[in-house]
Amino acid sequence: MSVVATAIGVAPGDDNLVPRKVAALFSEFDANKDGVISEGELSTALANAFPEMPTWAKEHLPHQFGKYATGEGDSRGLDEPAFTKVYAAFLFRNFDANGDGALQVDECEAALKFLADGKPTAVAVPEGKDGVVTKLDFWLMFKAMMA
């Protein structure tokens, strides 16, 4: 059975919900187990998980970290809901093969299949989008998969 994600009719959902896979990654990436992921922990973990990470995905990590991190000094980092947002943005950029800021349907399906632990994923793109999945569409699909 495949997972079907669609940008049509997806309820906004709770921004504090975290997909099981992302919750497990948060625990794994939080190397010192302090409840937050530092910029160093994030960079190291994603580089290890995605050795073929495109340059544009790697270069965007500091911006995303800065946007969502809280705290000061050594305690500055991402809590689990903030990590979820950063991870979604990272997946979008990582699977955007040509770095144009949009996903083709096959790229989106690959990203969501990765998130769904390899389960086949079909994406229905609204009419008029010419097979392109925007960041907002992807975020809505990502959130729809949260359980």
Side-chain angles (χ1 to χ4, degrees), residues 27-117:
S27 180
E28 178 185 329
F29 289 6
D30 183 15
N32 65 0
K33 305 302 179 206
D34 64 353
V36 295
I37 296 178
S38 69
E39 189 169 8
E41 289 171 327
L42 180 67
S43 296
T44 299
L46 289 176
N48 289 339
F50 297 94
E52 304 295 321
M53 179 187 328
T55 302
W56 53 86
K58 189 181 298 183
E59 290 172 348
H60 196 64
L61 283 174
H63 168 73
Q64 287 294 310
F65 181 86
K67 182 175 178 179
Y68 293 105
T70 59
E72 298 293 327
D74 290 342
S75 66
R76 183 158 174 77
L78 303 170
D79 62 11
E80 204 169 80
F83 171 71
T84 301
K85 292 172 186 166
V86 170
Y87 192 72
F90 171 77
L91 281 181
F92 184 91
R93 287 189 178 271
N94 189 63
F95 283 90
D96 179 9
N98 63 3
D100 68 354
L103 296 179
Q104 301 304 309
V105 170
D106 62 327
E107 294 170 335
C108 184
E109 288 175 344
L112 295 175
K113 181 178 177 181
F114 177 82
L115 185 63
D117 291 324

